[in-house]
């Protein structure tokens, strides 16, 4: 039987801590026998504080990690020097050093900092919560952090985005170990989707600057009220009382993108809002958001977040037909 060891660090988030036991614990073979055993440990075998208003008692110390097939590290809100300095405390470094070569290691959400500080993400693809992805990449420049995906499977090192993405990753491991039928049974038992389309880009909300906050903010606000109209860069430049060349340069300096790319992104965001809140047909959503046609909407939405309009609507409006 495959043995999963879960390392509970001080300040652990209880939800993510419970994911491995819930998902792997629900996996059964055709005779109903469990396919995994899940054991939780702390660094010293003592209780740990959680991110919530209660502590957790465990029965094993980190020596457990030397005897398991998969190690899962849930996130903690008290990573301290790991997140701030990229440095592992001695006890955590010793615990990770005791893991046998070839053991599968999984980090949920910001536990990716732990793997990165241990050198396990050097020259490897990984992810974490989108809010932390840029910081993680800047701290560990040899890692290849993908901020858009729900999880990354890099063989023996796996990482997930935030919170519920840990469920996606653990279901993926069940699927990888035992096939889709078993993973689907686990998902059905836990009342979660067996697979979520797209990545975490679809959950990121990007605010527009307040008018007056920058040289082009007023033009941006003006355009946001007219996204269904056939706007041009010259139209936006006129609102900012600048030449097209000056406006385009200033716009890129302030937003990191071109006016045309920004318009597409805002129209895609408006289309997402319409898909979430209305029953409009896809062609009408495309028209009202300024993307023109249903085909254009499908192309831009897939490029932005990797899903079709129908899949996006099912995710955010499951009762919408």
């Amino acid at each position: 039987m495959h043995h999963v060891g879960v390392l509970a660090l001080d300040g652990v988030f209880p939800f993510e801590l419970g994911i491995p036991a819930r998902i792997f614990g629900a996996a059964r073979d055709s005779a109903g026998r469990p396919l995994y055993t899940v054991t939780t440990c702390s660094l010293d075998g003592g209780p740990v504080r959680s991110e919530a208003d209660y502590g957790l008692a465990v029965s094993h110390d980190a020596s457990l990690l030397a005897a398991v097939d998969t190690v899962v590290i849930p996130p903690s809100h008290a990573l301290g020097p790991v997140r701030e300095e990229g440095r592992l405390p001695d006890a955590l470094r010793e615990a990770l050093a005791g893991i046998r070569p070839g053991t599968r290691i999984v980090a949920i959400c910001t536990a990716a900092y732990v793997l990165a500080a241990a050198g396990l993400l050097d020259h490897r693809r990984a992810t974490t919560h989108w809010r932390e992805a840029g910081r993680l990449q800047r701290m560990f420049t040899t890692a290849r952090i993908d901020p858009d995906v729900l999880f990354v499977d890099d063989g023996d090192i796996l990482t997930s985005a935030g919170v519920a993405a840990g469920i996606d990753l653990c279901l993926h491991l069940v699927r990888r170990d035992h096939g889709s039928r078993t993973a689907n049974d686990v998902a059905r038992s836990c009342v979660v989707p067996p697979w979520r389309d797209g990545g975490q880009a679809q959950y990121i909300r990007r605010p527009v600057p307040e008018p007056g906050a920058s040289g082009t903010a007023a033009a941006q606000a003006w355009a946001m009220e007219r996204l269904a109209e056939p706007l041009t860069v010259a139209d936006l430049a006129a609102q900012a009382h600048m030449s097209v060349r000056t406006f385009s340069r200033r716009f890129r300096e302030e937003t990191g993108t071109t006016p045309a790319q920004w318009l597409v992104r805002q129209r895609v965001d408006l289309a997402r809002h319409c898909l979430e809140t209305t029953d409009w047909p896809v062609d009408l959503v495309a028209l009202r958001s300024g993307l023109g046609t249903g085909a254009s909407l499908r192309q831009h939405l897939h490029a932005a977040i990797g899903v079709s309009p129908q899949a996006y609507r099912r995710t955010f409006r499951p009762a919408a037909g």
Side-chain angles (χ1 to χ4, degrees), residues 77-229:
H77 81 109
L79 289 175
V82 180
R83 181 180 179 275
E84 300 303 323
E85 306 168 26
R87 175 176 60 83
L88 294 176
D90 291 343
L92 181 53
R93 183 174 61 254
E94 292 171 8
L96 298 179
I99 298 173
R100 294 174 300 172
T103 300
R104 191 163 60 186
I105 304 177
V106 177
I108 298 176
C109 193
T110 53
Y113 278 101
V114 175
L115 303 194
L120 297 175
L121 298 187
D122 292 350
H123 309 292
R124 302 188 76 154
R125 184 168 169 258
T127 193
T128 189
H129 192 290
W130 60 267
R131 283 198 182 98
E132 293 286 332
R135 189 176 194 281
L136 183 64
Q137 182 66 85
R138 290 190 296 272
M139 286 186 67
F140 302 97
T141 56
T142 62
R144 302 197 304 273
I145 307 302
D146 187 338
D148 294 332
V149 295
L150 293 175
F151 62 83
V152 169
D153 180 343
D154 198 40
D156 60 338
I157 301 291
L158 300 97
T159 50
S160 83
V163 195
I167 297 174
D168 298 299
L169 178 52
C170 289
L171 280 172
H172 167 74
L173 286 172
V174 174
R175 186 179 299 108
R176 189 173 109 172
D177 292 344
H178 300 286
S180 293
R181 181 172 182 175
T182 300
N184 291 345
D185 287 343
V186 171
R188 188 176 300 112
S189 172
C190 296
V191 199
V192 295
W195 182 271
R196 286 196 292 166
D197 293 328
Q200 56 179 326
Q202 61 188 306
Y203 301 100
I204 302 172
R205 188 176 297 278
R206 300 178 175 91
V208 176
E210 292 293 328
S214 68
T216 65
Q220 294 177 47
W222 177 84
M224 288 291 291
E225 300 296 324
R226 298 164 176 80
L227 290 176
E229 301 175 13

Side-chain angles (χ1 to χ4, degrees), residues 2 10 35 47 79 82 85 95 108-109 125 133 162 191 210 213 236 242 257 275 277 279 309:
H2 192 105
D10 204 37
L35 294 169
L79 289 175
V82 180
E85 306 168 26
I108 298 176
C109 193
R125 184 168 169 258
V191 199
E210 292 293 328
L236 272 69
M242 300 178 190
T257 189
L275 290 169
T277 59
D279 293 318

